[in-house]
Amino acid sequence: SSGINAEWPLRPGGQFNTVNYEDPNLNVAIPVYSIHGNHDDPAGRTGLCALDLLSASGVINYFGKSNSLEEIIISPLLMRKGNTKLAIYGLGSIRDERLHRLFINKKVKCTRPDQDRDEWFNIFVIHQNRVKRGKSETSFIPEEVLPEFIDLIIWGHEHDCQTILKNNSVLNAYVLQPGSSVATSLSEGETEPKHCFKIQIYKKNFNKQDIPLTTVRPFLFKTVSLIDADVLTEKDALAYLQYNVDQMISEANQERERNPNAPELPIIRLRYDHHPEMSMINPIRFGTILLRFLSPSLSTISLSLSLFLSLSLSL
């Protein structure tokens, strides 16, 4: 339509400025649109990333790429079906401190359709830190700096799967945090059930449907305190930790009975806080003790140290 500034997904190597399902040489059942994250961000003199290859081969439609470090202008993907008009704004991962500064200095701008501007349902897709990490005040992107006309924000990068929409009263927008589809780090937030989501949109209203992922490897995380348990000797500590591991294994088995499609072997992490006057338990020794009680098919154990001594076991 005339008077509308829209972004075309990047298709280098094929037809430029086209979506893959309009290519007569491709058979696309469900079009996929994607921005890049912090692990596949553009690099090198030409600013290429993995999604460029997938886009050039016609597998996905890559959008949200910015080549400027001084100013970012985001044009939306515009779609229309019946009486519903959808505008999707995408911003691929950028170093948080840099993007935070650009937002504060009003250097991130979004173009909007000139026609029927208020009738479009606006989605903003972003892949950045949502919460502050460390001492830096600019290591995350506050929700309030995003455009005020956005209706739904889909926030990537964060691993926690949050099924409940958060309403931002400042923007008058909802925030959906899908989280990671599998456990990619042994953090407590990864223990939440994984989901994907189906968004149904009609004019300016939308409905969210939660779809549980049933083939995700179970991950259990538990923190215990030897001080609270009144455990003072290493012998008692080993017995107490083994008791907790046994409980977690039983819990993992019960979870798999409820979800038979899940992989058989769970991931278990036990973290404990020990008494300052008691020597730290050797994780290798603890793993050796556990091996005596595990069957040969469950004998792969990975141990690591954290701020407190953390015993991360893949059973």
Side-chain angles (χ1 to χ4, degrees):
S1 301
S2 60
I4 297 181
N5 294 322
E7 172 175 326
W8 288 96
L10 303 177
R11 288 290 313 286
Q15 296 180 356
F16 286 88
N17 297 334
T18 63
V19 287
N20 58 357
Y21 54 85
E22 291 185 348
D23 191 326
N25 300 312
L26 298 175
N27 184 10
V28 180
I30 302 178
V32 175
Y33 296 85
S34 177
I35 64 173
H36 65 261
N38 59 309
H39 291 290
D40 55 357
D41 54 326
R45 291 188 301 174
T46 56
L48 292 177
C49 68
L51 295 192
D52 283 304
L53 301 178
L54 296 175
S55 181
S57 60
V59 177
I60 66 169
N61 298 293
Y62 175 30
F63 73 112
K65 184 176 183 179
S66 176
N67 296 318
S68 174
L69 301 179
E70 303 299 330
E71 185 179 39
I72 299 176
I73 299 178
I74 307 174
S75 297
L77 299 173
L78 301 179
M79 306 177 187
R80 180 186 289 114
K81 183 177 181 181
N83 296 323
T84 301
K85 303 173 183 178
L86 175 64
I88 304 178
Y89 296 82
L91 181 58
S93 177
I94 300 176
R95 189 168 177 265
D96 289 289
E97 289 78 6
R98 177 182 298 155
L99 184 58
H100 188 281
R101 182 174 64 253
L102 291 176
F103 269 116
I104 296 301
N105 294 333
K106 308 296 182 182
K107 294 296 183 179
V108 180
K109 303 175 182 178
C110 295
T111 63
R112 300 186 65 186
D114 296 329
Q115 301 174 359
D116 305 323
R117 176 173 294 188
D118 296 330
E119 296 181 6
W120 292 82
F121 187 88
N122 302 288
I123 296 178
F124 197 100
V125 184
I126 186 172
H127 189 102
Q128 304 288 155
N129 283 336
R130 187 179 173 188
V131 295
K132 177 182 175 182
R133 289 180 169 85
K135 297 181 180 180
S136 174
E137 297 294 334
T138 60
S139 62
F140 73 108
I141 305 301
E143 298 172 4
E144 290 72 23
V145 302
L146 298 181
E148 296 181 354
F149 62 86
I150 297 298
D151 300 296
L152 175 64
I153 303 169
I154 300 180
W155 206 293
H157 183 62
E158 301 291 348
H159 294 189
D160 303 16
C161 179
Q162 299 181 2
T163 57
I164 299 178
L165 288 168
K166 176 190 174 184
N167 179 257
N168 188 301
S169 58
V170 175
L171 296 177
N172 193 26
Y174 287 93
V175 182
L176 173 62
Q177 182 176 302
S180 58
S181 57
V182 296
T184 55
S185 66
L186 299 180
S187 61
E188 193 167 5
E190 296 276 19
T191 60
E192 295 296 328
K194 303 295 185 180
H195 293 78
C196 63
F197 301 91
K198 180 180 179 181
I199 306 295
Q200 296 175 310
I201 302 171
Y202 179 71
K203 293 186 177 180
K204 294 290 287 185
N205 301 310
F206 75 98
N207 179 56
K208 176 180 68 71
Q209 178 184 353
D210 304 348
I211 304 176
L213 301 180
T214 60
T215 59
V216 179
R217 187 178 182 185
F219 173 47
L220 287 81
F221 184 105
K222 186 176 183 180
T223 300
V224 297
S225 172
L226 300 184
I227 301 176
D228 295 341
D230 197 26
V231 175
L232 301 178
T233 66
E234 182 177 358
K235 180 179 178 181
D236 292 340
L238 290 172
Y240 182 70
L241 294 179
Q242 182 180 328
Y243 168 77
N244 280 276
V245 170
D246 292 340
Q247 279 193 325
M248 297 173 74
I249 294 175
S250 298
E251 184 179 344
N253 291 333
Q254 294 175 4
E255 182 176 337
R256 190 173 184 279
E257 290 178 359
R258 294 190 296 268
N259 184 14
N261 293 326
E264 181 179 358
L265 303 180
I267 301 175
I268 293 178
R269 180 179 181 184
L270 176 62
R271 181 177 63 183
Y272 75 92
D273 182 15
H274 67 94
H275 196 282
E277 297 181 359
M278 188 181 71
S279 60
M280 295 180 63
I281 294 175
N282 188 327
I284 304 300
R285 181 182 177 187
F286 181 64
T288 303
I289 296 175
L290 283 180
L291 283 176
R292 302 173 186 173
F293 300 94
L294 297 177
S295 65
S297 61
L298 302 178
S299 59
T300 302
I301 297 183
S302 172
L303 302 174
S304 67
L305 289 172
S306 183
L307 176 61
F308 301 116
L309 184 60
S310 295
L311 306 175
S312 306
L313 301 97
S314 299
L315 302 178

